[in-house]
Each structure stands twice: as structure tokens, then as C-alpha cells.
Amino acid sequence: MSKNTEKIHEENKLSEVLREILLNIEYFNKSRTAFSKRLKTLKNSNEVMVVANHLALIDKNIRNNNTAFLNPYFARIDYLDKNESKDYSLYIGKYGIQDTNSETLTVDWRAPISSVYYDCQLGDNKLEVYESEELDLELKLKRTIEIENSELIDFYDVNTIANDELLTRYLAKNKEAVLSEIVATIQKDQNQIIRDSYFNNIIVQGGAGSGKTTVAMHRVSFLLYNHKDIFNSENFYILGSNKMFLNYITSILPSLDVGDIRNMVLSSFFHEFVAEYMPRGKAKYKFTEKWSDDNKLDMAFKGKIGFVKALDSYLKIYEHNNIPVQDVLINEKIIMDRKNILNLLETFKEKSMQEKIALLNEQLKNKIISFKENNPNLRINIEEKDFSKNFGDNKKKLNIISIYIDFLIALKEKLESKDTLSMHIKNIDNIIESIKDNVFDVFDLSMLNLIKKRLYTNKRFEDVRYIVVDEAQDFGVSIFYVLKNVFNKSYFAIMGDISQNINYDIGMNDWECLRNEIFQSKNDKFYTLSKSYRNTIEISNLAIKVLKKAEFKTYEIEPFVRHGKEPEIISTVDYDETVKTSLKLIDNVFKNGFKTIAVICRTDEEAKSVSDSLSKHIDVIRINGEKDADFINGVMIMPIQMSKGLEFDAVILWDVNNEKYISCNSDIKLLYVAITRALHELYILHSKKISELIL
């Protein structure tokens, strides 16, 4: 068929689908009115709940159909199912939509069959579409369709336009437009991660702009859509290092048909599970998430796998010392022997100390009852009640902070006898002093979670079924040991880029320990996303040039070929001229049709000064991490630390001189992060000699 004939066919198809969607909207609105009236007449609470749930489902259908009316689908696949000898023509959209007769109008992108669009090329294909179910097919047509405001704009077939050319069309748009079209541009390697089995923990190393965060959000949507019997949205947590980043990455979830996912700063997440044990009143604890030269080595020490393993070993000894393992006698007769106790402890080894105490006490109680029944004439000189707490009091509230301090003291004594490790004595002294002053960081809170898990009965840990950690490289490996052991009924998606660990001493500079010590089973998968889609090739080349000067291991970065302006390096005489130059650049960027600009500074102090200066002339928002903020259109000013994970149409790097950015691994990572925030335009200002890392 000619392009014109095909266009007429697609326009007719769109009209047909839009007609049916309007009928859906009319039907659901009538249903909503009827159920709302009925709800007002009900008095039985169970009936109220049923009708209220039905109303919520109707509202969801109304929202989805209203959204679909503007853009009902983005792809079409025509294929022959060889097993059925049957031809299919399917349209794929953000939502699966049926007409009023329950006939399929569009297939949801999360449905297993949609992988044909993402993974297959024209011709013969064999594809695993759902766990072990394989589809044998001949793909005859693979078409991407552009629809805006219910109108067909254009369509492209893979045999007439290269995938890269099509993707370039999307990526060339401003940031706001790109976010709205992500589902249509998921790549094959990304789709593999999104659709991996739910019981596989995944670690994803993805370079800047590789789409790892987008993949994580789409995986959440995919799992909730396909595994409703296993997960619900309340089981999911998305964790990160700051609230603005979390607000930014989760803003896409409503468009993916996902709501009520809890997203939390990692420290707040850990605090939620130990809040009842933290000091209150006048002694209220203080939390520190900033590190300085004074405390970064202490935090780095706590971030190592050896530290958390030492705590775990200490807790095993603590349990051993608090659960008596010896024969229990009545009238000099053994009714529960030591071997039996040890067997029970081994059987219940995954349970907490207090759960074990409760189980042992219950077992002993039953054995005493049985002993009495079997010896009715025997006079027993010790009453049963005296044994109710033979193995301890499982209701006793322990002071987990004191236990943490005791562990630190014991660890110090142990290290004092080892010359090679004596350098950490000062770290331990500093940690003890901070805890006694009620000052805690994210590592301390994580260790308190491990103590609670090992010692206390707590069902709340089991409510967490899926954890996504983004920018994972920011956190020491001990954090993940705690997550995996405390939330042991949870599955994980760990997303990060070791080249972006700007907390060089504290975070992870490779994945080896995480993979070898924590996520090492056959169900733990490691993926790399090497292609970068964010930056133009000119910006990518500069980022790669900076990264090649590093001494640490890096992963290959393959820039997606999308050309744009060369990054501009602009010399200024002094601070005032830098301000004037920035204002001109900002004005030009907005005139070019872009909507998001970041002015990225070396430190928070510098960002404050720049914000004060620019705000005298234009509207800006300063991002410093001290309060929640949302990603907005306009000019945002921030330190590099706060820019991680974000992207902007244009970026101005403030005063990149050779005094602020020296030739060292940590500064290389800082500049790499800053450069790769820019989608289309990058401006590097310097008032002194330019940093040699740029040259």
C-alpha cells in the first residue's frame, strides 16, 4: 500500500477508536452517577466498602479513557502467530482500553505481547512473552504512530525509518515533551530489565542519561500490572538521597497508571522503623546527612561491609549470651534437653531473638503439660508458672541504642589488638561520641534497623515487598547488607552509576562487593546500560573526555548520535561579569524555546551567592536540600550534589576554574555529573584559569 493509502487507513482506525473511547467515557460517567446515588443510601459498612471500591475503579477508567482520547496508542504490530496459524493486528498504548462490548481497542504497553514491539524485528522471531511461555511469530509490520490531541501527526515503519532516526526526533524536543513520550521509545536492553522476573533482584549500572531511572519506574508499573496477586502499591518503596530527586523521578508514575507508591529519602525510611527507640523530649536526637572533612572518614568506615558484618556477629553473640542453652529439669528429670534446644534454635534461625525466646518458652510449656499428664501421681515441687520465662522475657523492651554503643566499644577493644586496623580506633571514638550526643547519620539508623531485626519481633518489616534504590552508588555497601537482611521478604532494584559517586570516600566506587557479598544468588542479575540518550554527542564527548582522566574503573559509555551545539567555554573577568554573562545566556536559552535551565555550582555556599545575585534580575529557585522542592520549569540554582539524577534543557556551570576543580578522582566525578545534566546546551564559565580537567 502507498503511504497515502496507509495514512487514510490509520486515520479511519483512529476515528473508530476515538468514537469507542467517547462511548466508554459516557458509559463510565453514567455508571458513576448511578453508583454515587446508591452509595448515599447504604448503611451496611461492607456494602459501602464494596461500592466505594467500585467507584474508585470507575474513576480510574474515566481518567484512563480521557487520557487515551488525546493519545490512544503509539504503536501497531501485525504478526502471524505460527502456533495458531492466525494473523493479529494490535495497537499498543499507555493503557489497555476495551470497548463497551469488552473487545480490545488498545493493548497496554505492560502486557506480555507488547514485547513484540520493543524486542522484535521484521521477519521470524521467537520471544518469551511471559515467564517460560514462548511465542513463535512472523512480524509483518512494526509501526510507530504519532498522535497529538486526538489527531494523527505521522507514522513510521521500521522498514522505512531507522530506530535511531526515530529516537532522535523524540530526543530533540524539550524536556517536557520527552518525558511524555518515554513509553514509545523504550529500547530493547531497557525492556529486558523492565520485564525481568519479579523474583530476580536486579542491579543496573547505567551511565548518565542511559535511562536507568526511567527503567526503574517502568519496572514498578510493569510488576504492579502483571503481578496483582503478589504486589500492591503499598508494598513498594522508592528510595533516594534527597526529596527533590525523588519527587522528580516519581512524577512520571501517574502517567504509568501507578499511584500511592511511597518514595522516601533513605534515612527517613530507616527512621520509620526505629522511631520509637529514638531519643525524645529535651534529649531529642539530631540527624546529619551532610558530611565534612571531619566526619566523612567515620561515615566511610561505617559504610564498609566489614563494619556491618562485625555488628551481625556481635548480635549472634548477644543472642547466645541471652538465651540459656542447657537441660531443663523437673524432679531431676530432663524434660527439654540441650540438644533439643539447639535444634529448635537452628530450625528458627531466621527469626529474631525474642521470637525464638517466645517459641522456646511455648515449647517448654507444652512439654511441662505433657509431663504432668504422663505423671499424674508424681508430686512436682516446681510450679509450671516458674518456667514461663525460662528462656527470657520476649516482651522486654531492649535499648537498641545502648546495644549499638556496646558493640562499638567491643569492636574498639578488638581492633586495639590488631595493629593493622588500629587506625580505625579514632573513627570508633568519634562515632560513640556522636551517638552519646544523640547525633545520628543514615549509617547509624541502618545499623539500628539491623539490631531491631535480629532482636525484636516485628511484622512491619514484612510489609515491604519491593524496594527501588536509585543513585545507589551514593551509599556505602553496608546499607545494602542491612536492606537485604532486614527486609528479607523484599525484592530489589538497585540503580546507579559508579562514575557518579561524588561522595568518593563514602559511596561505592565499584559493584564488586555488592555483587560478591550481598546479591550473589542465581536470582540476582547484573545489567549494564551503556548507551547514553540524554546529551547531544558534543556534550557526551566532553563528559567522556573528563572521565578518561580518572584512575578508577569506568564502564563504557556509548553516546547516542544526536548532534547539537558544541559546549561553550566562556572566560569572564570577575564575578560581576560572570553574573551578566549568565543572564544573557539564560535569556537566549528561553528565546530558543527551551524551558528548563540549571545553574550548577561547586558548593551550596556558592549556589547561595549566585542565587542572591541572579534573583535581583530574574526569577530563580535555589535548591539546597534543606526543604522539599519540586522540579519546575525556569531557572534552578543548585550545588552539584543536588543536581544528581536530574536533567535540564540547558546547563550553566559556574566558574569552573583550576582552583575549584583540581585533577583528582573526586573532582572528575563532580564535573562528569555536572556536564551530563545538559540535554541540549552547555555553557562553562570561568573567571580564572580554566580547570585542566576540561582541557
Side-chain angles (χ1 to χ4, degrees):
M1 272 191 255
S2 68
K3 174 89 174 179
N4 191 51
T5 304
E6 283 290 299
K7 184 178 182 184
I8 292 170
H9 172 81
E10 292 297 357
E11 286 176 337
N12 289 339
K13 178 66 179 181
L14 178 59
S15 296
E16 175 191 329
V17 171
L18 293 177
R19 226 174 11 252
E20 293 295 334
I21 290 174
L22 284 175
L23 289 174
N24 280 348
I25 293 170
E26 182 183 1
Y27 168 78
F28 285 122
N29 277 324
K30 285 181 179 177
S31 296
R32 195 188 195 293
T33 301
F35 275 96
S36 295
K37 287 180 179 177
R38 184 181 169 194
L39 186 63
K40 293 176 181 177
T41 67
L42 295 175
K43 294 192 173 24
N44 183 288
S45 59
N46 289 332
E47 289 182 341
V48 168
M49 185 178 296
V50 169
V51 173
N53 288 338
H54 200 75
L55 270 171
L57 185 60
I58 290 171
D59 285 341
K60 180 179 178 180
N61 278 309
I62 292 171
R63 286 195 305 272
N64 289 356
N65 276 271
N66 277 324
T67 302
F69 184 75
L70 297 175
N71 187 354
Y73 47 82
F74 57 81
R76 171 185 165 188
I77 51 173
D78 292 359
Y79 66 92
L80 167 67
D81 185 327
K82 293 182 179 180
N83 295 327
E84 298 179 0
S85 298
K86 185 176 178 181
D87 284 304
Y88 289 90
S89 181
L90 303 178
Y91 286 80
I92 301 169
K94 283 186 178 180
Y95 310 109
I97 303 292
Q98 294 181 319
D99 64 19
T100 51
N101 296 316
S102 298
E103 294 293 326
T104 298
L105 293 174
T106 63
V107 176
D108 196 293
W109 73 270
R110 296 164 292 187
I113 194 63
S114 296
S115 273
V116 173
Y117 170 72
Y118 294 116
D119 292 349
C120 295
Q121 297 300 322
L122 294 185
D124 294 335
N125 294 269
K126 287 189 177 180
L127 183 72
E128 187 179 286
V129 291
Y130 191 78
E131 301 299 337
S132 59
E133 183 183 334
E134 189 174 73
L135 182 64
D136 190 1
L137 64 93
E138 179 192 352
L139 183 58
K140 298 179 178 180
L141 178 72
K142 179 177 175 180
R143 176 172 289 172
T144 298
I145 301 169
E146 274 193 285
I147 297 170
E148 287 182 12
N149 296 322
S150 309
E151 290 188 14
L152 178 68
I153 304 301
D154 210 342
F155 60 89
Y156 320 96
D157 295 345
V158 293
N159 57 335
T160 59
I161 184 169
N163 275 346
D164 282 0
E165 185 181 343
L166 180 59
L167 188 54
T168 301
R169 291 170 62 96
Y170 283 110
L171 297 177
K173 299 180 181 183
N174 68 48
K175 169 156 191 57
E176 203 170 52
V178 170
L179 274 175
S180 68
E181 294 164 343
I182 285 172
V183 174
T185 60
I186 293 169
Q187 301 298 291
K188 185 174 181 178
D189 55 348
Q190 298 171 332
N191 190 51
Q192 183 184 5
I193 299 169
I194 291 168
R195 295 173 187 267
D196 200 347
S197 297
Y198 74 86
F199 50 77
N200 288 340
N201 296 312
I202 61 170
I203 301 171
V204 179
Q205 157 61 38
S210 62
K212 58 186 177 293
T213 297
T214 299
V215 165
M217 299 303 102
H218 283 71
R219 180 161 173 77
V220 169
S221 179
F222 173 81
L223 292 175
L224 285 170
Y225 177 84
N226 286 284
H227 300 290
K228 296 181 178 71
D229 57 329
I230 298 171
F231 302 112
N232 61 62
S233 58
E234 293 179 357
N235 300 142
F236 278 71
Y237 282 83
I238 298 171
L239 309 177
S241 54
N242 68 73
K243 194 61 181 173
M244 178 188 169
F245 168 66
L246 288 166
N247 290 343
Y248 170 74
I249 67 173
T250 57
S251 65
I252 192 177
L253 289 176
S255 70
L256 295 176
D257 199 23
V258 175
D260 302 322
I261 296 288
R262 283 177 278 194
N263 63 87
M264 301 180 74
V265 174
L266 186 61
S267 55
S268 299
F269 173 75
F270 280 134
H271 176 261
E272 185 174 287
F273 293 91
V274 294
E276 63 192 286
Y277 301 94
M278 303 304 289
R280 298 177 184 178
K282 290 183 179 179
K284 185 178 179 181
Y285 82 98
K286 297 180 285 294
F287 175 74
T288 176
E289 56 186 335
K290 292 187 177 180
W291 36 84
S292 62
D293 290 338
D294 293 334
N295 70 358
K296 71 178 181 181
L297 293 180
D298 301 333
M299 296 179 82
F301 176 57
K302 287 182 282 191
K304 299 293 187 289
I305 191 72
F307 182 84
V308 70
K309 281 192 167 184
L311 173 58
D312 225 354
S313 296
Y314 177 84
L315 294 174
K316 288 177 183 176
I317 296 169
Y318 183 92
E319 177 187 293
H320 177 77
N321 292 337
N322 282 275
I323 299 180
V325 180
Q326 57 193 29
D327 296 341
V328 181
L329 293 84
I330 292 181
N331 286 23
E332 300 183 353
K333 288 185 179 290
I334 297 174
I335 63 166
M336 192 168 180
D337 63 30
R338 183 175 184 275
K339 185 178 179 181
N340 183 210
I341 296 168
L342 289 172
N343 286 339
L344 285 168
L345 289 173
E346 178 61 24
T347 302
F348 301 125
K349 63 182 178 182
E350 298 302 320
K351 295 188 177 294
S352 70
M353 183 185 79
Q354 291 202 338
E355 285 175 309
K356 292 172 186 173
I357 288 172
L359 287 164
L360 286 168
N361 283 335
E362 185 65 22
Q363 282 275 357
L364 179 56
K365 175 184 174 183
N366 292 335
K367 285 184 177 293
I368 291 173
I369 292 170
S370 177
F371 181 77
K372 283 184 171 183
E373 289 174 349
N374 293 331
N375 299 276
N377 299 320
L378 183 67
R379 180 172 176 174
I380 299 174
N381 56 22
I382 300 178
E383 292 297 327
E384 173 192 332
K385 63 183 180 181
D386 294 331
F387 286 95
S388 63
K389 296 181 181 178
N390 184 80
F391 294 99
D393 182 359
N394 67 294
K395 302 292 186 184
K396 181 180 178 182
K397 187 167 183 178
L398 305 172
N399 188 327
I400 62 175
I401 295 175
S402 294
I403 292 169
Y404 184 36
I405 292 173
D406 290 343
F407 153 69
L408 291 166
I409 293 169
L411 181 62
K412 177 182 176 181
E413 291 172 355
K414 186 176 181 179
L415 296 188
E416 282 175 337
S417 64
K418 298 182 179 181
D419 293 338
T420 55
L421 296 173
S422 59
M423 58 182 175
H424 293 304
I425 300 300
K426 179 61 176 172
N427 298 132
I428 296 174
D429 284 339
N430 292 340
I431 298 166
I432 292 172
E433 184 178 345
S434 292
I435 299 301
K436 288 183 175 179
D437 287 341
N438 292 331
V439 177
F440 298 82
D441 60 36
V442 66
F443 294 103
D444 299 316
L445 294 178
S446 72
M447 300 306 155
L448 294 178
N449 270 260
L450 184 63
I451 295 170
K452 181 181 178 183
K453 171 69 175 180
R454 296 295 190 234
L455 302 184
Y456 272 103
T457 304
N458 193 284
K459 299 299 181 186
R460 284 195 62 223
F461 288 138
E462 298 177 8
D463 293 336
V464 181
R465 300 301 308 281
Y466 205 95
I467 295 175
V468 178
V469 184
D470 207 350
E471 298 295 331
Q473 75 283 340
D474 286 355
F475 307 106
V477 72
S478 68
I479 292 288
F480 298 97
Y481 182 95
V482 172
L483 286 171
K484 184 76 160 36
N485 282 274
V486 171
F487 304 97
N488 57 336
K489 292 193 184 311
S490 181
Y491 301 98
F492 293 86
I494 311 295
M495 326 297 286
D497 178 13
I498 58 168
S499 296
Q500 295 186 65
N501 171 30
I502 59 177
N503 310 316
Y504 192 78
D505 297 301
I506 297 168
M508 291 186 290
N509 294 304
D510 61 57
W511 297 107
E512 303 313 308
C513 186
L514 192 67
R515 295 176 64 188
N516 295 334
E517 298 277 355
I518 302 170
F519 294 99
Q520 55 183 336
S521 80
K522 65 180 181 179
N523 292 332
D524 297 330
K525 301 285 190 69
F526 181 75
Y527 291 96
T528 58
L529 293 173
S530 57
K531 196 161 223 178
S532 175
Y533 301 97
R534 176 185 297 147
N535 321 114
T536 62
I537 196 163
E538 290 77 13
I539 295 170
S540 284
N541 285 340
L542 178 60
I544 292 169
K545 178 181 173 183
V546 169
L547 204 54
K548 281 183 175 177
K549 298 182 180 183
E551 297 171 349
F552 52 82
K553 176 183 176 180
T554 60
Y555 285 83
E556 179 185 358
I557 300 170
E558 182 186 347
F560 180 79
V561 181
R562 174 174 67 89
H563 286 284
K565 285 180 62 176
E566 286 285 347
E568 289 188 32
I569 300 174
I570 303 171
S571 176
T572 60
V573 174
D574 54 23
Y575 181 88
D576 289 340
E577 188 182 353
T578 308
V579 171
K580 290 178 183 176
T581 302
S582 296
L583 291 168
K584 288 179 184 176
L585 291 172
I586 290 167
D587 185 53
N588 288 336
V589 168
F590 284 139
K591 284 179 179 176
N592 288 338
F594 295 123
K595 296 184 177 181
T596 58
I597 302 174
V599 180
I600 299 179
C601 304
R602 179 69 166 82
T603 64
D604 188 43
E605 291 74 23
E606 185 175 66
K608 182 181 184 307
S609 174
V610 172
S611 178
D612 290 344
S613 299
L614 294 182
S615 63
K616 295 175 182 175
H617 308 277
I618 58 173
D619 291 333
V620 303
I621 181 166
R622 178 178 161 234
I623 307 298
N624 62 5
E626 292 180 2
K627 58 182 179 179
D628 290 355
D630 291 322
F631 189 96
I632 60 167
N633 289 344
V635 180
M636 306 181 80
I637 302 173
M638 65 193 71
I640 295 175
Q641 179 77 30
M642 293 300 299
S643 74
K644 285 168 57 59
L646 308 179
E647 59 188 28
F648 307 86
D649 291 324
V651 167
I652 297 170
L653 298 189
W654 188 271
D655 203 9
V656 185
N657 66 56
N658 62 349
E659 293 178 6
K660 291 180 181 175
Y661 298 89
I662 63 175
S663 185
C664 67
N665 286 333
S666 57
D667 281 9
I668 287 170
K669 290 193 174 189
L670 281 171
L671 266 183
Y672 172 71
V673 168
I675 290 168
T676 54
R677 300 311 95 196
L679 280 162
H680 305 291
E681 296 182 5
L682 174 66
Y683 303 93
I684 301 171
L685 309 184
H686 65 101
S687 60
K688 297 179 182 177
K689 186 178 179 182
I690 187 77
S691 169
E692 63 184 58
L693 295 176
I694 296 291
L695 300 176

